[in-house]
Amino acid sequence: MTKNNLGHPVGTTLDRFIKRKQDEFPFATGELSQLLRDIALAAKLVHREISRAGLLDVSGAFGSQNVQGEEQQKLDVIANIRFIRAFRNGGEVCAIVSEEDEKIIDLENSQGRYVIAMDPLDGSSNIDVNVSIGTIFSIYRRKSPVGGPVLEEDVLQKGTEQIGAGYILYGSSTMLVYSTGHGVHGFTYEPSLGEFFLSHAEMTIPEDGKIYSINEGGWHDFYPGTREYIETCKERRYSARYIGSLVADFHRNLLKGGIYIYPGTENRPNGKLRLLYECNALAFIVEQAGGMATNGEYRIVEIDPTELHQRAPLYIGSKRMVEEAMSMHKVLEAVNE
Ligand code: P6P
């Protein structure tokens, strides 16, 4: 049997991998393992819905708007239901923050020790044009006592408190990429077998790269520091790659090296992306992979959240690229203050 360079035979199923990792931690109670299985189950169900989207009447708008005021796509709602149901049935989770729900989702499970922050289907406006989309999730331990009511402190936690995070990319193949703080691991889904198989063990991001991802349509709103960095990328003939689907752009840059920027601007100083269920999870992953994630000034995971759906500017990817973008952002902002 071929093994990758870390002794995990390629083709290890997610279940066996989780069990093996759990055995490495004598005090592991298996709850986190069960939680990861719940996520994988929901991912398989969402994969099936997405792969049929063109055939069944599940694409297109749902006719309502989410808390962001964005047109909810039917698959957004379906994905939200699938993940909530998986966590409810799994029994490990007491509360969820979801992009699709304005308030905290209290699962009425006072014994649940974990809290989830998730974007059940990010980039969903791309569904109708068959572009890759993704699920993003963060896992926290609840702060309030088990057995008691869920409190806001359980969900308004800094990214440094995450005990796990990851994403599912529904692309040319469906992949689950996650970390529980001991490296980043990628699994590819084989629909005919209904299994995720280890395909990318111990993922690391190149320290530098030549790909920059930003919506240059915002050029005239960008701060001078942002424009300066983009100009530098152009002078160096870097490749501009922007899919408009955060998980897809992030995943490509994780594999090839690169930087994704959703900057703050004069009229949107905190940018567009959500701290709790978009930025923090990918920041956890990229730091575990040796990369960097900041809001232009400091680590994303250090931001102390005050609102469920608060936004944050995001500079994320190869360490050298993020550092350089920050240096220009700061210098030119200081000049303009
Ligand atoms: P814009 C999708 O709505 C999303 O949240 C991310 O997946 C994506 O990177 C970004 O917004 C695209 O935003 O303003 O460039 O269309």
Side-chain angles (χ1 to χ4, degrees), residues 122-123 125 215 242 244-247 249 260 262 272-273 278:
D122 176 76
S125 55
N215 184 344
Y242 191 72
S245 186
L246 172 58
V247 173
D249 279 316
Y260 171 101
Y262 207 105
K272 171 185 183 183
L273 302 179
E278 289 171 332

Side-chain angles (χ1 to χ4, degrees), residues 227-239:
R227 285 203 286 267
E228 176 75 14
Y229 180 69
I230 301 309
E231 290 283 13
T232 304
C233 292
K234 292 176 188 284
E235 284 155 14
R236 295 174 183 163
R237 301 326 188 248
Y238 285 2
S239 295

